[in-house]
Amino acid sequence: TPEIQNFCLEEILKHFSLSPNKHKLLFLNLDFSFKNRSSLELSDAILLLSFLTRTANKYNIPHQNIVIELLESRQKNMSILSEIIEIYKKQGFLIALDDFGKGYSNLDRIAVLKPNIVKINSSLVKNIEQCGHKQEVFKAITGLSRRIGAVVIAKGIENKNEAVKCLELRADFLQGSFFSVPNADSSTYINNKIESLYIEFKNQIL
């Protein structure tokens, strides 16, 4: 229900506001599964935006520190989704398309929706160093994303080979169990992984 959703959002924002890192980004995964265009659906999105804006202001969180994640593969009505994205972006929030490339999503969606961040699905990343077709799809996504000024996050990195190949194909950020499992609390371990990956990538490029 909207009440439960708003309660959860406020708790998340309240805890996020306590972080000493003022440059950290908060990713909120919102699923707009619209079947058709109607004033009710649009008004729901606007009501959520109004609550999100008030709550972020209440806890002194800059809007540009909040990323609205959308599962683009579930969206059928690109027109209304594009309209809602523009409304959120005008309020300063960042937009991310999550799980892009799942089922080799239509690249036109990047150009139509103009997100700030594109998160490439792990199914496209898995064993990408062994599959030329996946590499070409990945390059098409990163190329189009760069042309509209969006950054690319490769999800589901499980090993060094996948990480190196995704860097080679111009991913901006990498995410996955190769670096750390969720909620792990060892910055030293993660930093060592990053340093090792940097050396491997540098050697391969050279």
Side-chain angles (χ1 to χ4, degrees):
T1 65
E3 292 78 15
I4 294 176
Q5 177 177 249
N6 289 349
F7 173 80
C8 291
L9 277 175
E10 176 146 13
E11 288 297 302
I12 291 170
L13 290 169
K14 180 169 65 176
H15 283 87
F16 180 74
S17 69
L18 301 176
S19 171
N21 185 350
K22 300 305 178 184
H23 300 290
K24 185 180 292 186
L25 296 179
L26 173 64
F27 284 76
L28 297 175
N29 200 312
L30 303 179
D31 182 13
F32 297 119
S33 298
F34 300 114
K35 295 180 180 178
N36 50 56
R37 183 185 178 87
S38 73
S39 58
L40 176 61
E41 291 166 346
L42 187 56
S43 65
D44 284 347
I46 293 173
L47 283 173
L48 178 57
L49 171 62
S50 177
F51 177 81
L52 186 59
T53 301
R54 290 197 313 272
T55 309
N57 293 341
K58 176 181 176 181
Y59 293 108
N60 298 313
I61 301 173
H63 294 184
Q64 64 267 24
N65 285 34
I66 299 176
V67 182
I68 308 299
E69 284 190 310
L70 302 173
L71 291 168
E72 65 83 29
S73 60
R74 296 184 185 178
Q75 315 312 321
K76 304 303 179 185
N77 193 323
M78 287 296 103
S79 177
I80 190 169
L81 183 59
S82 179
E83 186 174 350
I84 289 170
I85 285 174
E86 282 304 308
I87 293 172
Y88 275 68
K89 287 173 75 173
K90 284 179 180 178
Q91 294 300 317
F93 297 104
L94 300 178
I95 300 295
L97 291 186
D98 195 16
D99 279 349
F100 197 87
K102 187 176 183 179
Y104 302 150
S105 307
N106 190 338
L107 288 173
D108 289 346
R109 294 189 174 198
I110 295 178
V112 171
L113 300 177
K114 297 180 178 64
N116 304 103
I117 300 169
V118 176
K119 302 180 74 174
I120 297 180
N121 183 264
S122 57
S123 63
L124 187 57
V125 170
K126 187 174 180 61
N127 299 323
I128 190 171
E129 76 283 1
Q130 303 172 21
C131 180
H133 179 62
K134 285 186 176 183
Q135 292 172 30
E136 291 303 315
V137 174
F138 196 104
K139 281 196 291 187
I141 295 173
T142 56
L144 183 53
S145 297
R146 285 177 181 274
R147 284 196 289 276
I148 68 164
V151 298
V152 174
I153 300 175
K155 295 176 58 179
I157 302 291
E158 296 182 352
N159 56 62
K160 187 179 290 186
N161 290 335
E162 292 172 349
V164 169
K165 180 55 67 174
C166 287
L167 286 175
E168 182 183 325
L169 298 174
R170 303 189 72 187
D172 298 295
F173 297 96
L174 306 178
Q175 172 186 325
S177 59
F178 170 69
F179 301 100
S180 179
V181 297
N183 298 321
D185 189 29
S186 176
S187 58
T188 301
Y189 173 81
I190 296 173
N191 288 334
N192 288 340
K193 281 279 191 177
I194 293 173
E195 181 65 23
S196 171
L197 175 60
Y198 167 73
I199 294 171
E200 179 78 18
F201 179 64
K202 179 181 177 182
N203 290 339
Q204 180 160 319
I205 294 300
L206 290 174

